[in-house]
Amino acid sequence: MQLVIICLFPGLVAQTYFFGWGTIIQLCFSIIISILLEIFVILLRKRHPKTALRDNSVLVTAWILAISIPPLSPWWIVFIGLIFAVVIAKHLYGGIGENLFNPAMIAYVILLVSFPIQMTSWIEAGKLKIDPISFIDSFFLIFSGFNTDGLSLQQLRVGVDGLTMATPLDAFRTSLHIGNTINEILEQLKLDPLFTSSWKLINLTYLLSGLLLLKLRVISWHIPISFLISLIIISELFMIITPDKTASSMFHLLSGATMLGAFFIATDPVSASTTVKGRIIFGAFIGIMTFIIRSFGGFPDSIAFSVLLANMCVPLLDHYTQPRTYGQ
């Protein structure tokens, strides 16, 4: 868990560079609340908190949730999310090693379904570079809802045209639904190069960090590689079938939380499959579902939903992919 946290640092730096101080503030607040919740539940279970906190699993959960939400989300978003992640998704099932679902993704899905406005209130990187938000303003926006000038987050998000897109995936879906062609959408995205390049660079950072995890043998290659290969195959297949409605595989790979999901979320050792064949199927299933939900579902990014659906299939995968016992 410590190595996972270390490998998450470069992505944190990249997100802070493009989206401001809110990412750091959310992370610090998330870590504090997660530790307090962990201690509270551990004491209720009549165990020693120091022993339980030593595995650092709650820090990874808090970290992933903090970098998955918009940096300037109100403080209660993190608080509610961590209650679901730590208390319900983790300890209600028996604690570390017993949870069926990825705790951070349970929290993310609950928050996204319950508070869609707050969970999609990203500010474009290009706009932040022109008019950056200071540390103090970020702090006040998170904990009071207004900056030092009295402006709310929604007022900061809305530009001259009255509309801002949360992410390239959101921009792509919105433009496609109003009848724009793929070429028109790509031309629109090129008008704001920092809008798409910020997400590309963040994904590339998590890709490099994920490769470091593989080199250190913290994770195995089966889940992330099968995830990415299946996402490439299905996106290229649909580009052949419906070229006017499907984004390229490179667009899917370098948008949203693809690389974070492939190397840091789907590879959760507790909620993922435990067999080699099961991990390959598990990762491929997540890649396919990510494309399907992004293309036909109600949410532009779908890593959390795909991972949770795959978590549901783990008992079945482990049952039918167990290696044959020697002698049988």
mmCIF file of all heavy atoms in Angstrom, residues 10-21 23 71 122-129 132 193-203 205:
data_model
loop_
_atom_site.group_PDB
_atom_site.id
_atom_site.type_symbol
_atom_site.label_atom_id
_atom_site.label_comp_id
_atom_site.label_asym_id
_atom_site.label_seq_id
_atom_site.Cartn_x
_atom_site.Cartn_y
_atom_site.Cartn_z
ATOM 1 N N PRO A 10 3.087 11.214 -8.644
ATOM 2 C CA PRO A 10 3.216 11.958 -9.904
ATOM 3 C C PRO A 10 1.876 12.395 -10.491
ATOM 4 O O PRO A 10 1.750 13.510 -11.013
ATOM 5 C CB PRO A 10 3.925 10.953 -10.825
ATOM 6 C CG PRO A 10 4.670 10.056 -9.894
ATOM 7 C CD PRO A 10 3.795 9.917 -8.698
ATOM 8 N N GLY A 11 0.870 11.518 -10.406
ATOM 9 C CA GLY A 11 -0.464 11.886 -10.884
ATOM 10 C C GLY A 11 -1.054 13.023 -10.083
ATOM 11 O O GLY A 11 -1.731 13.908 -10.633
ATOM 12 N N LEU A 12 -0.806 13.019 -8.780
ATOM 13 C CA LEU A 12 -1.281 14.114 -7.929
ATOM 14 C C LEU A 12 -0.649 15.431 -8.348
ATOM 15 O O LEU A 12 -1.335 16.462 -8.427
ATOM 16 C CB LEU A 12 -0.949 13.804 -6.466
ATOM 17 C CG LEU A 12 -1.247 14.920 -5.459
ATOM 18 C CD1 LEU A 12 -2.744 15.139 -5.329
ATOM 19 C CD2 LEU A 12 -0.631 14.588 -4.093
ATOM 20 N N VAL A 13 0.646 15.406 -8.634
ATOM 21 C CA VAL A 13 1.336 16.622 -9.072
ATOM 22 C C VAL A 13 0.749 17.129 -10.387
ATOM 23 O O VAL A 13 0.514 18.334 -10.555
ATOM 24 C CB VAL A 13 2.849 16.350 -9.225
ATOM 25 C CG1 VAL A 13 3.552 17.554 -9.838
ATOM 26 C CG2 VAL A 13 3.461 16.010 -7.870
ATOM 27 N N ALA A 14 0.496 16.207 -11.320
ATOM 28 C CA ALA A 14 -0.071 16.595 -12.614
ATOM 29 C C ALA A 14 -1.463 17.196 -12.448
ATOM 30 O O ALA A 14 -1.786 18.226 -13.063
ATOM 31 C CB ALA A 14 -0.117 15.383 -13.544
ATOM 32 N N GLN A 15 -2.304 16.566 -11.632
ATOM 33 C CA GLN A 15 -3.654 17.090 -11.424
ATOM 34 C C GLN A 15 -3.622 18.451 -10.738
ATOM 35 O O GLN A 15 -4.424 19.340 -11.058
ATOM 36 C CB GLN A 15 -4.477 16.092 -10.603
ATOM 37 C CG GLN A 15 -4.888 14.865 -11.386
ATOM 38 C CD GLN A 15 -5.870 13.976 -10.635
ATOM 39 O OE1 GLN A 15 -5.608 12.804 -10.420
ATOM 40 N NE2 GLN A 15 -6.992 14.530 -10.240
ATOM 41 N N THR A 16 -2.721 18.619 -9.784
ATOM 42 C CA THR A 16 -2.602 19.909 -9.105
ATOM 43 C C THR A 16 -2.149 20.986 -10.074
ATOM 44 O O THR A 16 -2.631 22.125 -10.035
ATOM 45 C CB THR A 16 -1.618 19.800 -7.930
ATOM 46 O OG1 THR A 16 -2.048 18.772 -7.041
ATOM 47 C CG2 THR A 16 -1.542 21.111 -7.165
ATOM 48 N N TYR A 17 -1.239 20.635 -10.975
ATOM 49 C CA TYR A 17 -0.747 21.602 -11.958
ATOM 50 C C TYR A 17 -1.872 22.082 -12.871
ATOM 51 O O TYR A 17 -1.974 23.281 -13.170
ATOM 52 C CB TYR A 17 0.380 20.970 -12.783
ATOM 53 C CG TYR A 17 0.876 21.853 -13.903
ATOM 54 C CD1 TYR A 17 1.748 22.912 -13.649
ATOM 55 C CD2 TYR A 17 0.466 21.637 -15.219
ATOM 56 C CE1 TYR A 17 2.203 23.724 -14.675
ATOM 57 C CE2 TYR A 17 0.918 22.445 -16.246
ATOM 58 C CZ TYR A 17 1.784 23.486 -15.969
ATOM 59 O OH TYR A 17 2.223 24.302 -16.996
ATOM 60 N N PHE A 18 -2.718 21.161 -13.320
ATOM 61 C CA PHE A 18 -3.767 21.525 -14.276
ATOM 62 C C PHE A 18 -5.048 22.030 -13.603
ATOM 63 O O PHE A 18 -5.759 22.848 -14.183
ATOM 64 C CB PHE A 18 -4.101 20.328 -15.163
ATOM 65 C CG PHE A 18 -3.053 20.027 -16.190
ATOM 66 C CD1 PHE A 18 -2.309 18.856 -16.108
ATOM 67 C CD2 PHE A 18 -2.786 20.904 -17.225
ATOM 68 C CE1 PHE A 18 -1.328 18.569 -17.057
ATOM 69 C CE2 PHE A 18 -1.806 20.636 -18.171
ATOM 70 C CZ PHE A 18 -1.074 19.467 -18.080
ATOM 71 N N PHE A 19 -5.354 21.541 -12.395
ATOM 72 C CA PHE A 19 -6.654 21.872 -11.783
ATOM 73 C C PHE A 19 -6.550 22.629 -10.468
ATOM 74 O O PHE A 19 -7.558 22.858 -9.813
ATOM 75 C CB PHE A 19 -7.475 20.594 -11.590
ATOM 76 C CG PHE A 19 -7.789 19.888 -12.880
ATOM 77 C CD1 PHE A 19 -7.283 18.625 -13.139
ATOM 78 C CD2 PHE A 19 -8.571 20.492 -13.847
ATOM 79 C CE1 PHE A 19 -7.560 17.974 -14.329
ATOM 80 C CE2 PHE A 19 -8.851 19.857 -15.044
ATOM 81 C CZ PHE A 19 -8.337 18.595 -15.284
ATOM 82 N N GLY A 20 -5.363 22.989 -10.061
ATOM 83 C CA GLY A 20 -5.219 23.895 -8.936
ATOM 84 C C GLY A 20 -5.092 23.232 -7.574
ATOM 85 O O GLY A 20 -5.028 22.011 -7.434
ATOM 86 N N TRP A 21 -5.074 24.096 -6.551
ATOM 87 C CA TRP A 21 -4.815 23.683 -5.176
ATOM 88 C C TRP A 21 -5.928 22.840 -4.581
ATOM 89 O O TRP A 21 -5.725 22.166 -3.554
ATOM 90 C CB TRP A 21 -4.596 24.909 -4.304
ATOM 91 C CG TRP A 21 -3.330 25.638 -4.592
ATOM 92 C CD1 TRP A 21 -3.193 26.833 -5.248
ATOM 93 C CD2 TRP A 21 -2.003 25.222 -4.239
ATOM 94 N NE1 TRP A 21 -1.866 27.183 -5.326
ATOM 95 C CE2 TRP A 21 -1.111 26.221 -4.712
ATOM 96 C CE3 TRP A 21 -1.489 24.107 -3.572
ATOM 97 C CZ2 TRP A 21 0.258 26.131 -4.527
ATOM 98 C CZ3 TRP A 21 -0.115 24.018 -3.391
ATOM 99 C CH2 TRP A 21 0.741 25.017 -3.864
ATOM 100 N N THR A 23 -7.102 20.070 -5.401
ATOM 101 C CA THR A 23 -6.753 18.649 -5.333
ATOM 102 C C THR A 23 -5.992 18.338 -4.054
ATOM 103 O O THR A 23 -6.276 17.348 -3.369
ATOM 104 C CB THR A 23 -5.898 18.246 -6.549
ATOM 105 O OG1 THR A 23 -6.594 18.603 -7.754
ATOM 106 C CG2 THR A 23 -5.626 16.757 -6.547
ATOM 107 N N PRO A 71 -11.888 18.979 -8.001
ATOM 108 C CA PRO A 71 -11.063 19.540 -6.918
ATOM 109 C C PRO A 71 -11.772 20.552 -6.022
ATOM 110 O O PRO A 71 -11.384 20.713 -4.865
ATOM 111 C CB PRO A 71 -9.915 20.213 -7.679
ATOM 112 C CG PRO A 71 -9.851 19.509 -8.974
ATOM 113 C CD PRO A 71 -11.262 19.152 -9.312
ATOM 114 N N TRP A 122 -16.228 20.274 -12.765
ATOM 115 C CA TRP A 122 -14.817 20.502 -13.058
ATOM 116 C C TRP A 122 -14.663 21.861 -13.736
ATOM 117 O O TRP A 122 -15.517 22.273 -14.520
ATOM 118 C CB TRP A 122 -14.277 19.428 -13.989
ATOM 119 C CG TRP A 122 -14.220 18.059 -13.383
ATOM 120 C CD1 TRP A 122 -15.244 17.175 -13.271
ATOM 121 C CD2 TRP A 122 -13.074 17.417 -12.820
ATOM 122 N NE1 TRP A 122 -14.805 16.015 -12.673
ATOM 123 C CE2 TRP A 122 -13.472 16.137 -12.394
ATOM 124 C CE3 TRP A 122 -11.743 17.805 -12.644
ATOM 125 C CZ2 TRP A 122 -12.594 15.249 -11.790
ATOM 126 C CZ3 TRP A 122 -10.865 16.905 -12.052
ATOM 127 C CH2 TRP A 122 -11.296 15.646 -11.633
ATOM 128 N N ILE A 123 -13.573 22.545 -13.442
ATOM 129 C CA ILE A 123 -13.236 23.775 -14.147
ATOM 130 C C ILE A 123 -12.166 23.446 -15.172
ATOM 131 O O ILE A 123 -11.207 22.746 -14.875
ATOM 132 C CB ILE A 123 -12.745 24.867 -13.176
ATOM 133 C CG1 ILE A 123 -13.888 25.284 -12.253
ATOM 134 C CG2 ILE A 123 -12.216 26.068 -13.938
ATOM 135 C CD1 ILE A 123 -13.518 26.381 -11.287
ATOM 136 N N GLU A 124 -12.320 23.942 -16.390
ATOM 137 C CA GLU A 124 -11.379 23.628 -17.458
ATOM 138 C C GLU A 124 -9.974 24.105 -17.102
ATOM 139 O O GLU A 124 -9.781 25.172 -16.535
ATOM 140 C CB GLU A 124 -11.818 24.295 -18.758
ATOM 141 C CG GLU A 124 -13.097 23.713 -19.345
ATOM 142 C CD GLU A 124 -13.471 24.408 -20.637
ATOM 143 O OE1 GLU A 124 -12.585 25.049 -21.221
ATOM 144 O OE2 GLU A 124 -14.630 24.320 -21.048
ATOM 145 N N ALA A 125 -9.005 23.277 -17.472
ATOM 146 C CA ALA A 125 -7.615 23.620 -17.208
ATOM 147 C C ALA A 125 -7.219 24.915 -17.917
ATOM 148 O O ALA A 125 -6.474 25.734 -17.384
ATOM 149 C CB ALA A 125 -6.708 22.475 -17.651
ATOM 150 N N GLY A 126 -7.723 25.103 -19.135
ATOM 151 C CA GLY A 126 -7.410 26.315 -19.881
ATOM 152 C C GLY A 126 -7.896 27.570 -19.181
ATOM 153 O O GLY A 126 -7.195 28.581 -19.109
ATOM 154 N N LYS A 127 -9.082 27.493 -18.622
ATOM 155 C CA LYS A 127 -9.636 28.641 -17.911
ATOM 156 C C LYS A 127 -8.838 28.928 -16.641
ATOM 157 O O LYS A 127 -8.606 30.080 -16.266
ATOM 158 C CB LYS A 127 -11.103 28.384 -17.572
ATOM 159 C CG LYS A 127 -11.791 29.562 -16.893
ATOM 160 C CD LYS A 127 -13.257 29.280 -16.644
ATOM 161 C CE LYS A 127 -14.019 29.199 -17.952
ATOM 162 N NZ LYS A 127 -15.480 29.069 -17.734
ATOM 163 N N LEU A 128 -8.380 27.870 -15.955
ATOM 164 C CA LEU A 128 -7.602 28.047 -14.742
ATOM 165 C C LEU A 128 -6.238 28.667 -15.034
ATOM 166 O O LEU A 128 -5.690 29.387 -14.198
ATOM 167 C CB LEU A 128 -7.418 26.697 -14.038
ATOM 168 C CG LEU A 128 -8.652 26.166 -13.292
ATOM 169 C CD1 LEU A 128 -8.410 24.754 -12.801
ATOM 170 C CD2 LEU A 128 -9.004 27.070 -12.128
ATOM 171 N N LYS A 129 -5.671 28.353 -16.224
ATOM 172 C CA LYS A 129 -4.388 28.940 -16.569
ATOM 173 C C LYS A 129 -4.518 30.441 -16.847
ATOM 174 O O LYS A 129 -3.631 31.226 -16.547
ATOM 175 C CB LYS A 129 -3.788 28.231 -17.789
ATOM 176 C CG LYS A 129 -3.329 26.811 -17.488
ATOM 177 C CD LYS A 129 -2.318 26.795 -16.361
ATOM 178 C CE LYS A 129 -1.998 25.389 -15.918
ATOM 179 N NZ LYS A 129 -1.121 25.386 -14.721
ATOM 180 N N PRO A 132 -6.138 31.810 -12.674
ATOM 181 C CA PRO A 132 -5.919 30.788 -11.647
ATOM 182 C C PRO A 132 -6.630 31.129 -10.344
ATOM 183 O O PRO A 132 -6.847 32.296 -10.016
ATOM 184 C CB PRO A 132 -4.398 30.781 -11.476
ATOM 185 C CG PRO A 132 -3.945 32.121 -11.947
ATOM 186 C CD PRO A 132 -4.897 32.515 -13.037
ATOM 187 N N PRO A 193 -6.601 23.579 -26.953
ATOM 188 C CA PRO A 193 -5.668 22.445 -26.856
ATOM 189 C C PRO A 193 -5.369 22.018 -25.426
ATOM 190 O O PRO A 193 -5.157 20.835 -25.154
ATOM 191 C CB PRO A 193 -4.406 22.965 -27.562
ATOM 192 C CG PRO A 193 -4.526 24.453 -27.538
ATOM 193 C CD PRO A 193 -5.992 24.744 -27.606
ATOM 194 N N LEU A 194 -5.359 22.973 -24.476
ATOM 195 C CA LEU A 194 -5.068 22.623 -23.089
ATOM 196 C C LEU A 194 -6.203 21.801 -22.478
ATOM 197 O O LEU A 194 -5.983 21.024 -21.553
ATOM 198 C CB LEU A 194 -4.834 23.893 -22.263
ATOM 199 C CG LEU A 194 -4.235 23.694 -20.876
ATOM 200 C CD1 LEU A 194 -2.883 22.999 -20.972
ATOM 201 C CD2 LEU A 194 -4.102 25.024 -20.150
ATOM 202 N N PHE A 195 -7.413 21.970 -23.023
ATOM 203 C CA PHE A 195 -8.584 21.238 -22.521
ATOM 204 C C PHE A 195 -8.373 19.735 -22.649
ATOM 205 O O PHE A 195 -8.612 18.970 -21.715
ATOM 206 C CB PHE A 195 -9.820 21.696 -23.300
ATOM 207 C CG PHE A 195 -11.095 20.990 -22.908
ATOM 208 C CD1 PHE A 195 -11.487 20.923 -21.589
ATOM 209 C CD2 PHE A 195 -11.897 20.412 -23.875
ATOM 210 C CE1 PHE A 195 -12.673 20.282 -21.227
ATOM 211 C CE2 PHE A 195 -13.074 19.774 -23.541
ATOM 212 C CZ PHE A 195 -13.456 19.714 -22.209
ATOM 213 N N THR A 196 -7.910 19.294 -23.816
ATOM 214 C CA THR A 196 -7.690 17.863 -24.026
ATOM 215 C C THR A 196 -6.289 17.422 -23.615
ATOM 216 O O THR A 196 -6.112 16.321 -23.095
ATOM 217 C CB THR A 196 -7.906 17.510 -25.503
ATOM 218 O OG1 THR A 196 -7.110 18.375 -26.319
ATOM 219 C CG2 THR A 196 -9.367 17.674 -25.885
ATOM 220 N N SER A 197 -5.284 18.273 -23.808
ATOM 221 C CA SER A 197 -3.912 17.878 -23.488
ATOM 222 C C SER A 197 -3.720 17.675 -21.993
ATOM 223 O O SER A 197 -2.896 16.848 -21.580
ATOM 224 C CB SER A 197 -2.924 18.925 -23.997
ATOM 225 O OG SER A 197 -3.128 20.169 -23.369
ATOM 226 N N SER A 198 -4.474 18.408 -21.169
ATOM 227 C CA SER A 198 -4.347 18.238 -19.718
ATOM 228 C C SER A 198 -4.721 16.820 -19.304
ATOM 229 O O SER A 198 -3.999 16.171 -18.533
ATOM 230 C CB SER A 198 -5.228 19.258 -18.990
ATOM 231 O OG SER A 198 -6.596 19.121 -19.364
ATOM 232 N N TRP A 199 -5.837 16.321 -19.842
ATOM 233 C CA TRP A 199 -6.266 14.965 -19.506
ATOM 234 C C TRP A 199 -5.332 13.926 -20.114
ATOM 235 O O TRP A 199 -5.081 12.868 -19.509
ATOM 236 C CB TRP A 199 -7.699 14.739 -19.967
ATOM 237 C CG TRP A 199 -8.681 15.495 -19.134
ATOM 238 C CD1 TRP A 199 -9.226 16.717 -19.418
ATOM 239 C CD2 TRP A 199 -9.206 15.114 -17.864
ATOM 240 N NE1 TRP A 199 -10.060 17.118 -18.405
ATOM 241 C CE2 TRP A 199 -10.075 16.148 -17.444
ATOM 242 C CE3 TRP A 199 -9.036 14.002 -17.044
ATOM 243 C CZ2 TRP A 199 -10.767 16.098 -16.233
ATOM 244 C CZ3 TRP A 199 -9.723 13.947 -15.840
ATOM 245 C CH2 TRP A 199 -10.566 14.981 -15.441
ATOM 246 N N LYS A 200 -4.803 14.196 -21.296
ATOM 247 C CA LYS A 200 -3.846 13.266 -21.900
ATOM 248 C C LYS A 200 -2.588 13.134 -21.038
ATOM 249 O O LYS A 200 -2.109 12.023 -20.777
ATOM 250 C CB LYS A 200 -3.468 13.746 -23.303
ATOM 251 C CG LYS A 200 -4.571 13.601 -24.336
ATOM 252 C CD LYS A 200 -4.100 14.108 -25.691
ATOM 253 C CE LYS A 200 -5.213 13.990 -26.727
ATOM 254 N NZ LYS A 200 -4.779 14.519 -28.051
ATOM 255 N N LEU A 201 -2.063 14.258 -20.596
ATOM 256 C CA LEU A 201 -0.847 14.231 -19.792
ATOM 257 C C LEU A 201 -1.077 13.583 -18.434
ATOM 258 O O LEU A 201 -0.209 12.875 -17.914
ATOM 259 C CB LEU A 201 -0.306 15.656 -19.621
ATOM 260 C CG LEU A 201 0.256 16.289 -20.892
ATOM 261 C CD1 LEU A 201 0.609 17.753 -20.663
ATOM 262 C CD2 LEU A 201 1.485 15.527 -21.356
ATOM 263 N N ILE A 202 -2.245 13.814 -17.851
ATOM 264 C CA ILE A 202 -2.576 13.167 -16.573
ATOM 265 C C ILE A 202 -2.640 11.656 -16.756
ATOM 266 O O ILE A 202 -2.107 10.885 -15.944
ATOM 267 C CB ILE A 202 -3.904 13.720 -16.020
ATOM 268 C CG1 ILE A 202 -3.711 15.150 -15.523
ATOM 269 C CG2 ILE A 202 -4.430 12.838 -14.881
ATOM 270 C CD1 ILE A 202 -4.999 15.854 -15.151
ATOM 271 N N ASN A 203 -3.275 11.207 -17.839
ATOM 272 C CA ASN A 203 -3.353 9.771 -18.097
ATOM 273 C C ASN A 203 -1.977 9.175 -18.382
ATOM 274 O O ASN A 203 -1.676 8.062 -17.934
ATOM 275 C CB ASN A 203 -4.300 9.498 -19.269
ATOM 276 C CG ASN A 203 -5.741 9.330 -18.829
ATOM 277 O OD1 ASN A 203 -6.149 8.283 -18.345
ATOM 278 N ND2 ASN A 203 -6.522 10.399 -18.972
ATOM 279 N N THR A 205 0.793 10.251 -17.179
ATOM 280 C CA THR A 205 1.482 10.196 -15.888
ATOM 281 C C THR A 205 1.090 8.958 -15.111
ATOM 282 O O THR A 205 1.948 8.254 -14.547
ATOM 283 C CB THR A 205 1.152 11.452 -15.059
ATOM 284 O OG1 THR A 205 1.510 12.621 -15.804
ATOM 285 C CG2 THR A 205 1.922 11.448 -13.747
#
